[in-house]
């Protein structure tokens, strides 16, 4: 019997089941996708960290200097320290290494010692937690040190750079002693990319004197006895336990616990050790951005899920309205309200539960991590789809109507109960908006469901206000239409005015959907514009070439390359010393010297200032407070006096992370001809140029500058900082790919598409809900000569005002939401430090118009299909009401 009724009303129940399945999918699938993208962002942030920041390092710091030779082998503590770390750290560590070494010290190689800038060489014994061979001997043999002599092996790259051969001796001159080790073998790493080598790779580092260039820093490997012998001779104890966190095991929901665990390890390291790591700083920054992402995602998700809940209620109401006559007949035969509710639950149970399970299954197919609240949401939607038809059917059956009178003809005012409820809802939305601005959506204890629902409440409040006001202009328009020829406009506007209060529920669903889509679009535009400004500041040309120091003629050489229209030098000086004129305090700030031909957006008087002993300068607000009217700044060994010409928060060529800076125009500086300023940046403008060629020319300029400064020729691999070319497009793209920022793009696209689709679905269900009443009206009007075309125009006059008001209210609410709850969203975290000024894309207005047009077309199509199914020609002839 139940299955028979299910087959009889298969269309209504199938619609309800489809909405429940879609809701269950939206409650699980998008959340998993967002969590997966967030996890990948966290892993990418950790993976790109340098080993000194990423790894957990414990350094031996004894209270009393132990016996340096023959002491205990502390490599055995690797596993003990790992297992003693606070949870969840032990499960996240993929490998660890114990190192017993004499740190890189000034070394004499094969008896040769460079007095001015000696090579740095360290000797180390390193043991891995996982074990395994890390080296492959290609010449000579492994070390076999004794109590009297130390032996070591050298890597192939190190041997080439230091010109070491088998049998050579290396003498280390430490602060406390002298140690000698003999090279007995040459090796190649089994896996050169392994983190085993991270803290002992061959590198070029700066010499102690600024007049010198760079020198090599290398490490030799020895055995246990060799490490003890070298340690005893050098009178130096340097032992570390380093642990690598496996980013592949990390998930974003572990960030808080992981940050706490790292802080605990920092406060309570193993006895006689000190802790070093910067991973907790990265985790804290990630967590801050994650909270902002979760706030935006929660708002959009709440809007989409609230729209789905509204659509389920609309489908339930549609089914209850179609069976109103059936329920009235049951009551007339003695059936109770509870009996009607029970049979409705039995019918919906057959289709709703399988639909919810199907939607849940589809959601699990989406890659990503499940949300903790996912099961609760799915159960909630299943219960809503199961109970809403029964509640609405029971409510309608309490006062059965056997006359078929139209409910929209009653001109009574809204009941006090309804007015009270609407006022309460508006007050709830206003109070929630205030709390969101004061506390944020996530106040540190997780996302607050009430505060997350505030944007939905604001959209509903906007729809209630709009639909309470729309009848008044519609009445005026109706009176004007009554004076014109034809009755179509008058009848349509009159129907719209009478039906506005009755359609507040369906149209509120439409307003929420539109507001969610516009909110997502507005936030996306705001973030995009902020990132555009950040890219313009960091890369104020088509590209910027970065290096250690370029020859003065390098920009001119690059400017002569095909496709390059302009190449101008730029000098950035970190920690430049600024001396205020009226103070003895010294400030260290970022200094930038710009060329007037660079085309940067700077004050006109600044770039055209003549050469003078006192240079005009642009300074940051914080530096302006220190220096007052002016002072002096040291640039490449010379002191230049300056006066403050302008104060700016930012300057093109400097990233937004720079808080204190000074910008000087090169043409106004009294730079001597015999010692010109040496640039370390080159701004490149043009199109079609080859980045590899520009990089090659830039490195040639660096080699020429090194030769001029040190008198020594170097190869490209010996450069302290090989040239890099960063285009504005590449930098702008990188802002979209940082950590959790990739989730935003996914959220915005999903929000816009889902909102548009659900808005059209809401229009279709709104039209279907009123189709029977309009069908009977059209049947009566056709007996008076109303044509099919006039019937469609009647629908347009009746629905367009209400749809237009709903779409307009949703668009205004969605555009206002980012400004209303801006403090809670933290959009500045996604714009690289540039203030996120709320802005809307003009294309959003075109999108709203397109949705409105599509809504009207969808309404006409749905109405036409409904009228065909209702067989309007037979309604008056047979006196039937088709259900």
């Amino acid at each position: 019997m139940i299955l028979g009724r299910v087959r009889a009303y298969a269309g209504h129940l199938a619609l309800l089941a489809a909405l429940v399945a879609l809701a269950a999918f939206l409650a699980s699938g998008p959340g998993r996708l967002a969590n997966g993208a967030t996890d990948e962002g966290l892993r990418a942030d950790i993976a790109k960290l340098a080993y000194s920041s990423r790894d957990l390092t414990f350094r031996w710091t004894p209270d009393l200097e132990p016996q340096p030779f023959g002491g205990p082998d502390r490599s055995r503590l690797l596993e003990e320290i790992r297992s003693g770390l606070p949870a969840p750290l032990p499960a996240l560590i993929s490998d660890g290494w114990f190192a017993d070494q004499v740190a890189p010290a000034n070394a004499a190689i094969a008896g040769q010692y460079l007095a001015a800038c000696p090579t740095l060489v360290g000797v180390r014994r390193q043991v891995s937690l996982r074990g395994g061979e890390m080296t492959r001997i290609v010449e000579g043999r492994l070390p076999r040190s004794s109590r009297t002599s130390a032996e070591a092996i050298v890597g192939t790259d190190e041997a080439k750079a230091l010109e070491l051969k088998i049998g050579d001796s290396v003498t280390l001159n430490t602060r406390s002693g002298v140690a000698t080790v003999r090279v007995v073998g040459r090796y190649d790493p089994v896996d050169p990319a392994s983190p085993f080598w991270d803290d002992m790779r061959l590198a070029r580092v700066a010499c102690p004197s600024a007049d010198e260039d760079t020198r090599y820093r290398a490490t030799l490997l020895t055995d246990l006895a060799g490490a003890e012998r070298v340690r005893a001779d050098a009178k130096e104890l340097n032992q570390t336990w380093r642990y690598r966190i496996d980013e592949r095991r990390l998930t974003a929901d572990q960030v808080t616990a992981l940050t706490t665990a790292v802080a605990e390890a920092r406060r309570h390291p193993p006895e006689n050790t000190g802790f070093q790591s910067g991973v907790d700083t990265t985790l804290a920054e990630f967590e801050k951005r994650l909270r902002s992402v979760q706030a935006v995602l929660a708002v959009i998700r709440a809007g989409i899920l609230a729209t789905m809940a509204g659509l389920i209620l609309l489908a339930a109401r549609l089914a209850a309205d179609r069976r109103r006559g059936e329920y009235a007949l049951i009551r007339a035969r003695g059936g109770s309200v509870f009996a009607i509710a029970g049979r409705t639950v039995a019918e919906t149970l057959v289709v709703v539960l399988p639909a919810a399970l199907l939607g849940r299954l589809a959601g699990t197919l989406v890659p990503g991590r499940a949300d903790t609240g996912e099961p609760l949401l799915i159960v909630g939607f299943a219960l809503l789809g199961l109970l809403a038809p029964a509640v609405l059917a029971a409510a309608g059956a309490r006062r059965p109507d056997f006359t078929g009178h139209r409910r929209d003809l009653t001109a009574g005012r809204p009941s006090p109960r309804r007015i009270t409820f609407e006022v309460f809802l508006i007050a709830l939305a206003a109070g929630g908006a205030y709390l969101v601005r004061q506390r944020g959506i996530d106040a540190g204890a997780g996302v607050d469901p009430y505060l997350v629902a505030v944007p939905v409440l604001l959209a509903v409040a906007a729809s209630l206000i709009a639909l309470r006001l729309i009848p008044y202009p519609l009445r005026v328009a109706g009176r004007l239409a009554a004076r014109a020829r034809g009755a179509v406009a008058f009848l349509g506007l009159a129907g719209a005015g009478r039906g506005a209060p009755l359609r507040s529920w369906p149209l509120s669903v439409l307003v929420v959907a539109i507001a969610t889509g516009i909110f997502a679009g507005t936030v996306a535009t705001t973030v995009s514009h902020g990132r555009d400004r950040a890219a313009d500041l960091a890369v104020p040309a088509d590209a910027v070439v970065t290096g250690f120091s370029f020859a003065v003629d390098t920009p001119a050489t690059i400017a002569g390359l095909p496709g390059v229209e302009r190449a101008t030098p730029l000098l950035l000086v970190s920690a430049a010393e600024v001396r205020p004129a009226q103070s003895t305090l010294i400030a260290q700030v970022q200094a930038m010297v710009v060329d007037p031909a660079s085309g940067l957006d700077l004050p006109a008087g600044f770039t055209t200032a003549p050469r003078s002993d006192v240079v005009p300068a642009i300074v940051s607000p914080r530096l302006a407070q220190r220096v007052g009217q002016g002072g002096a700044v040291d640039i490449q060994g010379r002191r230049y006096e300056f006066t403050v010409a302008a104060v700016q928060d930012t300057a093109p060529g400097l990233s937004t992370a720079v808080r204190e800076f000074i910008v000087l125009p090169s043409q106004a500086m009294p730079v001597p001809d015999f010692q010109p300023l040496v640039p370390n940046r080159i701004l490149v403008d043009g199109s079609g140029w080859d980045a590899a060629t520009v990089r090659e020319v830039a490195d040639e300029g660096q080699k020429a500058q090194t030769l001029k400064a040190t008198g020594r020729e170097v190869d490209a691999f010996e450069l302290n900082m090989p040239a890099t070319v960063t285009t504005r497009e590449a930098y702008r793209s990188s802002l979209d790919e940082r950590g959790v920022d990739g989730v935003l793009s996914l959220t915005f696209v999903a929000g816009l598409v889902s909102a548009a689709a659900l808005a059209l679905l809401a229009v279709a269900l709104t039209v279907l809900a009123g189709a029977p009443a309009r069908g009977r009206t059209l049947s009566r009007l056709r007996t008076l000569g109303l044509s099919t075309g006039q019937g469609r125009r009647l629908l347009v006059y009746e629905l367009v005002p209400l749809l237009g008001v709903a779409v307009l209210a949703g668009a205004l609410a969605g555009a206002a939401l980012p400004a209303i709850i801006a403090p809670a969203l933290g959009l500045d975290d996604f714009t690289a430090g540039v203030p996120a000024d709320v802005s809307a894309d003009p294309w959003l207005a075109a999108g709203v118009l397109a949705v409105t047009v599509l809504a009207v077309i969808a309404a006409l199509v749905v109405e036409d299909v409904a009228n065909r199914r209702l067989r309007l020609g037979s309604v008056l002839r047979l006196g039937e009401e088709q259900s």
Side-chain angles (χ1 to χ4, degrees), residues 785-802:
L786 186 74
S787 66
T788 302
Q790 289 175 324
R792 293 194 180 98
R793 288 199 300 273
L794 178 63
L795 176 65
V796 171
Y797 279 116
E798 184 174 346
L799 289 183
V800 166
L802 300 181

Side-chain angles (χ1 to χ4, degrees), residues 312-318 320 324 327 387-397 505:
I312 292 174
L313 291 175
L314 283 179
R317 178 181 175 181
L318 180 63
R324 188 178 297 273
Y327 298 146
L387 299 179
V391 172
L392 292 174
W505 179 9

Side-chain angles (χ1 to χ4, degrees), residues 392-616:
L392 292 174
R398 289 184 60 189
R399 295 183 178 85
D401 182 12
F402 299 95
T403 62
H405 291 162
R406 293 170 56 186
R407 291 175 292 161
D408 61 341
L409 293 180
T410 58
R413 296 179 180 179
S415 65
R417 183 181 301 174
R418 179 164 183 170
I419 293 178
T420 302
F421 173 75
E422 292 181 357
V423 171
F424 171 75
L425 195 62
I426 294 172
L428 198 64
Y434 174 78
L435 290 177
V436 166
R437 291 183 65 88
Q438 295 298 317
R439 296 171 45 192
I441 292 176
D442 186 343
V447 175
D448 190 321
Y450 166 55
L451 298 182
V452 166
V454 165
V456 175
L457 294 174
L458 289 172
V460 173
S463 69
L464 293 177
I465 294 172
L467 293 176
R468 283 299 173 191
L469 296 178
I470 189 60
Y472 298 103
L474 286 179
R475 290 173 190 172
V476 176
R479 294 191 187 101
L480 295 176
R483 300 176 184 176
R485 295 184 60 183
V488 173
F490 168 73
L491 293 173
L493 294 174
R498 291 192 303 270
L502 298 177
R503 296 192 181 98
S504 59
W505 179 9
L507 292 179
S508 293
V509 177
L510 177 59
V511 170
V512 172
I514 294 295
T516 302
I518 296 299
F519 170 81
T522 302
V523 173
T525 302
T526 299
V527 171
S528 178
H529 287 176
R531 290 175 177 174
D532 289 343
R533 293 194 299 272
D536 291 340
L537 287 172
V539 186
D542 291 332
V544 59
V545 183
T546 304
F548 186 77
S549 61
F550 300 107
V552 177
D553 61 349
T554 304
T557 306
I558 292 178
L561 296 176
V564 177
E565 299 175 1
R566 179 172 59 187
T568 53
L570 190 71
L571 173 61
L572 291 183
V573 181
S574 299
E577 294 185 352
V578 175
R579 294 171 170 80
Q582 305 299 327
S583 174
T584 58
L585 298 177
I586 299 176
Q588 290 188 330
V589 302
Q590 180 92 327
M592 181 171 69
V593 180
V594 300
D595 190 282
S598 61
L600 299 182
D601 185 14
L602 298 169
F606 179 82
T607 55
T608 58
R611 185 185 180 99
S612 173
D613 291 337
V614 181
V615 184

